[in-house]
Amino acid sequence: MDSCTHSASASSSPFDCIIFDLDDTLYSSKTGIGQALKRNIDDFLVEKFGFPESQAPALRAELFKTYGSSLVGLRSLGYDVDADDYHSVVHGRLPYDLIKPDAKLRNLLQTIKQRKIIFTNSDRIHAMKALDRLGIKDCFEQIICFETMNPNLSKSTMPVVLKPSLEAMKIAIDVAGVDPRSTLFLDDNVKNVAAGKAVGLRTVLIGRAIKSKEADYALETITNLVQVIPEIWFSEEDDQRIGHPKNEMDSILSATTVSA
Ligand SMILES: [Mg+2]
């Protein structure tokens, strides 16, 4: 974090872009959406491929563990899965009203002046719905999602590309046009964080108090961002008024505190 290594720019923060995962990162896994998603995947396995209902949860867990997602796993194992079909069941049936507007998160995001990008394995419709429900859709300049990583998928027999594959990470860095060394990547999945580290990103593990091996930071929730990574908000003004950085942080902290 030596300031001498920073490039001369408008900001002396070491980060010029923040890349956010969406699900379980920008809203809590406790909303019930994650549980509903798992049930929907189980239903998909039963309805489309006739797997016994009793075996679907174990199969889903195994696919996730081995391939990172059920869709990638099914395709890799040679099942003919149409991605739109999959998303229409797995995401299309989600109870989106469980995701509530988050004014505190919105205020926090608005204090971050760097480029802000969403990078999710979910399809675009899901990403838009979730961001809309949270009330933060307009906070991001770009959404990198399933369709970005898998263009023309329906016309191809190519394997699905998603996080945590290195190919997915490289696509995101390329599409976003960022220097990974000055880009902060936030994700709740340990494997995704490891993949981010492998391509040179600065990494933040969300939902844990303790860092994984490849995480530069760990946050229990996104709202701890100011306390754990204050350097996101460092500016040249801070360098000139070196005696007052606490006041700067106080004003950001108060901006992210919402009265009921
Ligand atoms: Mg996630």
Side-chain angles (χ1 to χ4, degrees):
M1 227 51 74
D2 179 359
S3 62
C4 296
T5 61
H6 303 158
S7 59
S9 67
S11 162
S12 59
S13 168
F15 312 115
D16 50 31
C17 180
I18 323 279
I19 296 182
F20 300 82
D21 173 49
L22 172 59
D23 304 301
D24 298 345
T25 290
L26 291 180
Y27 65 91
S28 167
S29 55
K30 298 184 187 97
T31 52
I33 289 283
Q35 283 305 315
L37 186 91
K38 286 176 183 168
R39 279 196 302 275
N40 290 350
I41 294 171
D42 294 348
D43 289 349
F44 184 81
L45 293 171
V46 173
E47 289 169 23
K48 295 288 168 184
F49 297 107
F51 290 112
E53 231 175 294
S54 59
Q55 287 174 24
L59 176 60
R60 183 222 334 124
E62 191 57 36
L63 290 171
F64 185 78
K65 197 175 138 208
T66 308
Y67 298 96
S69 97
S70 301
L71 178 56
V72 172
L74 287 168
R75 293 274 293 219
S76 300
L77 293 171
Y79 287 93
D80 183 18
V81 190
D82 179 79
D84 291 340
D85 211 16
Y86 177 86
H87 288 133
S88 72
V89 172
V90 171
H91 288 146
R93 297 179 186 174
L94 286 176
Y96 283 99
D97 54 353
L98 293 177
I99 303 177
K100 306 294 183 199
D102 190 342
K104 195 174 174 182
L105 175 60
R106 181 178 174 80
N107 287 347
L108 173 71
L109 290 169
Q110 285 184 326
T111 66
I112 300 173
K113 301 306 175 197
Q114 288 93 333
R115 298 176 65 202
K116 294 182 287 295
I117 293 170
I118 295 286
F119 177 26
T120 176
N121 278 348
S122 297
D123 61 298
R124 185 165 297 272
I125 294 173
H126 169 78
M128 297 300 269
K129 276 190 198 165
L131 291 170
D132 204 28
R133 289 290 309 172
L134 287 164
I136 57 172
K137 200 161 73 178
D138 61 333
C139 295
F140 301 93
E141 68 161 57
Q142 201 173 3
I143 296 173
I144 298 168
C145 59
F146 177 87
E147 288 88 342
T148 321
M149 293 175 270
N150 299 280
N152 312 312
L153 185 73
S154 59
K155 294 168 195 67
S156 117
T157 53
M158 298 285 286
V160 171
V161 175
L162 290 175
K163 292 183 280 185
S165 81
L166 294 183
E167 195 182 348
M169 304 309 299
K170 286 171 187 165
I171 289 171
I173 288 168
D174 190 46
V175 168
V178 296
D179 179 348
R181 293 167 301 178
S182 55
T183 299
L184 200 58
F185 168 59
L186 292 74
D187 201 299
D188 63 285
N189 184 307
V190 173
K191 285 184 184 172
N192 294 351
V193 165
K197 194 69 194 169
V199 294
L201 290 159
R202 306 297 307 280
T203 53
V204 187
L205 181 62
I206 301 289
R208 312 278 181 94
I210 311 286
K211 290 190 280 187
S212 59
K213 189 165 149 275
E214 295 89 356
D216 295 309
Y217 307 90
L219 304 179
E220 278 187 278
T221 79
I222 187 82
T223 46
N224 299 138
L225 203 56
V226 184
Q227 288 84 358
V228 181
I229 321 180
E231 51 269 41
I232 291 171
W233 288 270
F234 285 0
S235 67
E236 279 187 342
E237 281 185 4
D238 295 336
D239 297 341
Q240 287 154 13
R241 294 181 285 127
I242 201 80
H244 305 282
K246 189 175 179 300
N247 294 347
E248 300 281 325
M249 291 315 294
D250 284 348
S251 66
I252 289 163
L253 281 166
S254 67
T256 61
T257 306
V258 177
S259 50

